[in-house]
Amino acid sequence: MSLLSRRSLIAFAVLAASVGTSAAADKPSTINIDWATYNPVSMVLKDKGLLEKEFAKDGIGIRWVQTLGSNKALEFLNAGSIDFGSTAGSAALVAKINGNPIKSIYVYSQPEWTALVTRKDTAINKIEDLKGKRVAVTRGTDPHIFLVRALLSVGLTEKDITPVLLQHPDGKTALIRGDVDAWAGLDPMMAQAEIEDGARLFYRNKAANTWGILNVREEFLKDHPDLVKRVLAVYEEARKYSLANYADEKKSFQAATKLNDEIADRQLKERTTITFNKIGAEQRDSILQAGIALQKAGVLPANVDVKKAVDDLIVDNYVPTN
């Protein structure tokens, strides 16, 4: 064998080994995905092991991480500790504008999961009554954005109140204990406060609740578009199953939350719709309007092109069409 032939053979072998190693490294050993009590479909998905069944043949494991709010899901996505995370559409937009490398790819619910809440014994009955009051809120979530928009609607800002920064369950506890005057609530804790403690939802606006959106890390989407499609196909299976089997959806919810029938029905039947899946014109506009309102309130910089940010955030072609 000539020297040139030997060199060519060695080069080919090195290239083949490199390609093989790259291909092996390209497939993740685990898909990291969140579940949340504000995302009922995620609990059905987890409870039934549907993703585990789908990816078992690939040797890919599924790691579930509970997120307590959009802020935590976005924090985990930004850190790379989860690949898919459940948030409100408006929260995802703010995170994207602030440099979080995510894409919004799927609708898991149309919720009325937030309202402004107070105790049964306070004199707070309208947004204006919050002036000078202590209000529990979780920054970076739809309830926070809802609060900002509510205040803006009556000519107030966060400077007119005293925000008390707490995660959602702690906000509910602080309200009931009397440590704060009001709370920007989130279900199921909000429903629990209503039913068990007589808390009042003194301001509701379903239109200002942005959609429940599933997000993916940009890097994961770029490297594994085929896996993203398969995850969404299984999400669709769980969503359709939940629509046809409310008793099982409720069972999964209660297994995770330990909440009674009345609270479960309040959230799942009265305040959550899961008939949508694609981020279409209606969902885009809801997120856009939230962004514009936040810009008016000074939460987003005046020089941000909100519409462009929405367009950069949303990728709508991975949802199964059947």
Side-chain angles (χ1 to χ4, degrees):
M1 183 181 290
S2 69
L3 180 60
L4 181 59
S5 297
R6 284 198 301 272
R7 285 177 175 173
S8 299
L9 185 60
I10 292 169
F12 178 78
V14 169
L15 177 62
S18 173
V19 171
T21 302
S22 174
D26 187 54
K27 186 174 73 170
S29 60
T30 305
I31 293 174
N32 304 291
I33 188 165
D34 81 337
W35 69 273
T37 57
Y38 52 86
N39 177 357
V41 177
S42 72
M43 287 181 276
V44 173
L45 196 63
K46 178 177 180 291
D47 198 34
K48 296 202 166 295
L50 299 177
L51 285 172
E52 287 82 352
K53 293 173 187 174
E54 168 66 21
F55 290 101
K57 58 182 174 288
D58 303 277
I60 298 174
I62 304 297
R63 175 175 167 263
W64 291 96
V65 177
Q66 184 180 9
T67 49
L68 298 176
S70 295
N71 63 322
K72 288 299 180 184
L74 291 162
E75 178 186 318
F76 295 157
L77 283 164
N78 199 33
S81 54
I82 59 174
D83 305 308
F84 297 85
S86 313
T87 73
S90 57
L93 175 63
V94 173
K96 180 71 170 178
I97 289 170
N98 288 332
N100 197 331
I102 58 170
K103 293 290 187 181
S104 295
I105 55 174
Y106 183 79
V107 173
Y108 60 79
S109 74
Q110 180 188 20
E112 187 191 2
W113 52 21
T114 187
L116 300 185
V117 189
T118 191
R119 293 184 306 281
K120 59 185 176 183
D121 58 351
T122 75
I124 296 173
N125 294 298
K126 57 186 185 298
I127 303 167
E128 292 88 339
D129 294 335
L130 292 179
K131 189 169 184 178
K133 298 295 193 296
R134 290 168 58 83
V135 183
V137 63
T138 309
R139 286 211 188 282
T141 66
D142 217 27
H144 172 226
I145 295 166
F146 184 88
L147 171 65
V148 170
R149 295 176 72 180
L151 292 168
L152 181 66
S153 72
V154 296
L156 299 176
T157 72
E158 284 188 286
K159 294 180 181 178
D160 295 300
I161 66 171
T162 301
V164 179
L165 305 183
L166 296 168
Q167 199 61 46
H168 299 299
D170 298 325
K172 179 247 184 188
T173 299
L175 176 69
I176 301 307
R177 198 164 51 199
D179 296 339
V180 296
D181 305 294
W183 168 48
L186 180 75
D187 273 335
M189 290 75 69
M190 186 166 68
Q192 184 181 20
E194 280 185 283
I195 292 166
E196 293 183 352
D197 302 292
R200 295 184 291 112
L201 276 54
F202 69 92
Y203 176 71
R204 298 173 70 172
N205 182 355
K206 185 175 181 179
N209 286 249
T210 56
W211 298 71
I213 301 294
L214 188 70
N215 307 278
V216 64
R217 291 190 300 111
E218 282 186 358
E219 184 179 9
F220 190 93
L221 178 62
K222 178 183 176 182
D223 291 345
H224 312 292
D226 56 326
L227 299 186
V228 172
K229 287 182 179 179
R230 289 170 63 187
V231 167
L232 291 193
V234 180
Y235 236 99
E236 267 296 271
E237 183 183 347
R239 186 187 67 82
K240 290 177 179 178
Y241 182 87
S242 299
L243 276 172
N245 299 275
Y246 176 71
D248 278 1
E249 178 193 1
K250 182 175 172 180
K251 181 180 177 182
S252 293
F253 175 85
Q254 289 182 299
T257 63
K258 313 303 181 191
L259 296 173
N260 66 34
D261 287 348
E262 188 178 5
I263 296 170
D265 289 338
R266 181 71 56 91
Q267 176 179 345
L268 299 178
K269 275 190 171 181
E270 297 180 24
R271 298 206 281 243
T272 306
T273 301
I274 57 171
T275 53
F276 297 85
N277 60 7
K278 190 169 184 177
I279 307 176
E282 185 178 1
Q283 292 77 22
R284 281 176 179 266
D285 186 64
S286 171
I287 296 169
L288 174 63
Q289 295 308 316
I292 291 171
L294 290 175
Q295 194 169 50
K296 288 179 181 177
V299 175
L300 294 176
N303 63 347
V304 168
D305 185 337
V306 178
K307 185 179 183 304
K308 181 179 183 302
V310 172
D311 291 340
D312 288 345
L313 172 69
I314 295 170
V315 177
D316 62 5
N317 61 336
Y318 286 85
V319 179
T321 55
N322 57 344

